Amino acid sequence: AQSVSQHNHHVILSEAASLELGCNYSYGGTVNLFWYVQYPGQHLQLLLKYFSGDPLVKGIKGFEAEFIKSKFSFNLRKPSVQWSDTAEYFCAAGRGGGYQKVTFGIGTKLQVIP
Amino acid sequence: EPEVTQTPSHQVTQMGQEVILRCVPISNHLYFYWYRQILGQKVEFLVSFYNNEISEKSEIFDDQFSVERPDGSNFTLKIRSTKLEDSAMYFCASSDSHSEAFFGQGTRLTVV
């Protein structure tokens, strides 16, 4: 069965600290990978996506993620977090091709302390 | 930028009542989805819809749920007889054949 695992459920960091959120997926065949962010009271927004090509993907707001096929991983990174990055982060995976149904990880709540 | 819109943003209903959650997908998209997120849990897939029919549904999507595209723009989720455990945030999403799914802002359903 398709599944997505996120290792850290709640992360607390000080401003300017570096961030890495782990994500592993279990998917047969071609996979599309995503990180979504949900700011308090707002809807899910796409941070970045990987469909094919360069495994290092850059997204909005200084985030990046690296697809490592051999490890079935797609970890999210940011070198220096800000208070405004406080949000919940969801890793998601879907089959390749046009149909974009995704399976979500449980989410990681990030709290950045000023 | 085009976006998926959902109404209402918050709905409170009594147990046993029917509710209809509404979504307007992005206009040129072909695939439509409903997901839900029970408080404190992960976002779960409910159903996908393509070419005017359900293309896939999860085991959560039982006979009390139905989806419809009543006209060219709306995509609705109906829950026939709501239960307390249906309380959740419901997200609509849409995609075309080339891009990721775009999500709406969600409808918070509270069943009392």
Side-chain angles (χ1 to χ4, degrees):
Chain A
Q2 300 143 350
S3 66
V4 176
S5 303
Q6 290 183 243
H7 313 307
N8 321 97
H9 294 171
H10 196 177
V11 172
I12 302 173
L13 292 173
S14 298
E15 272 193 318
S18 65
L19 170 73
E20 180 159 2
L21 301 182
C23 173
N24 287 93
Y25 64 92
S26 168
Y27 246 80
T30 305
V31 65
N32 295 335
L33 296 161
F34 310 87
W35 277 96
Y36 285 89
V37 61
Q38 189 175 27
Y39 297 103
Q42 297 189 29
H43 62 96
L44 289 165
Q45 298 175 41
L46 183 71
L47 264 184
L48 48 78
K49 63 186 179 186
Y50 172 80
F51 280 15
S52 63
D54 189 343
L56 185 61
V57 179
K58 294 200 184 296
I60 60 171
K61 306 187 183 191
F63 286 91
E64 65 178 31
E66 186 174 10
F67 168 55
I68 303 179
K69 191 174 179 181
S70 60
K71 295 184 178 179
F72 298 91
S73 69
F74 190 58
N75 292 355
L76 181 72
R77 299 194 291 250
K78 185 169 183 178
S80 175
V81 294
Q82 301 169 314
W83 176 80
S84 57
D85 294 324
T86 294
E88 191 156 14
Y89 293 80
F90 295 92
C91 183
R95 293 195 290 267
Y99 179 50
Q100 292 298 343
K101 172 212 169 188
V102 294
T103 299
F104 284 86
I106 197 156
T108 297
K109 285 191 170 68
L110 172 65
Q111 186 179 354
V112 180
I113 300 168
Chain B
E1 183 180 315
E3 58 179 17
V4 176
T5 55
Q6 290 184 243
T7 54
S9 55
H10 191 184
Q11 170 115 27
V12 181
T13 189
Q14 287 200 319
M15 197 167 55
Q17 295 296 304
E18 174 183 286
V19 293
I20 297 177
L21 309 183
R22 300 181 193 280
C23 170
V24 179
I26 293 172
S27 63
N28 61 341
H29 282 184
L30 303 173
Y31 301 88
F32 313 113
Y33 316 84
W34 282 101
Y35 291 80
R36 79 170 183 192
Q37 184 184 24
I38 294 171
L39 188 65
Q41 298 185 26
K42 65 166 77 174
V43 179
E44 301 171 292
F45 169 77
L46 289 178
V47 66
S48 59
F49 194 85
Y50 172 73
N51 202 24
N52 284 319
E53 59 183 24
I54 290 174
S55 49
E56 187 176 352
K57 60 183 181 179
S58 72
E59 51 193 37
I60 302 167
F61 194 87
D62 60 23
D63 291 344
Q64 69 159 341
F65 291 94
S66 62
V67 288
E68 197 177 29
R69 191 152 159 80
D71 53 42
S73 58
N74 290 285
F75 178 52
T76 61
L77 174 70
K78 184 193 291 186
I79 309 175
R80 273 186 251 297
S81 176
T82 49
K83 307 188 201 76
L84 294 176
E85 55 264 36
D86 293 326
S87 295
M89 183 75 94
Y90 288 80
F91 293 101
C92 173
S94 68
S95 67
D96 63 19
S97 56
H98 305 292
S99 74
E100 72 280 6
F102 288 78
F103 284 81
Q105 78 277 21
T107 293
R108 183 174 296 285
L109 176 66
T110 303
V111 182
V112 297

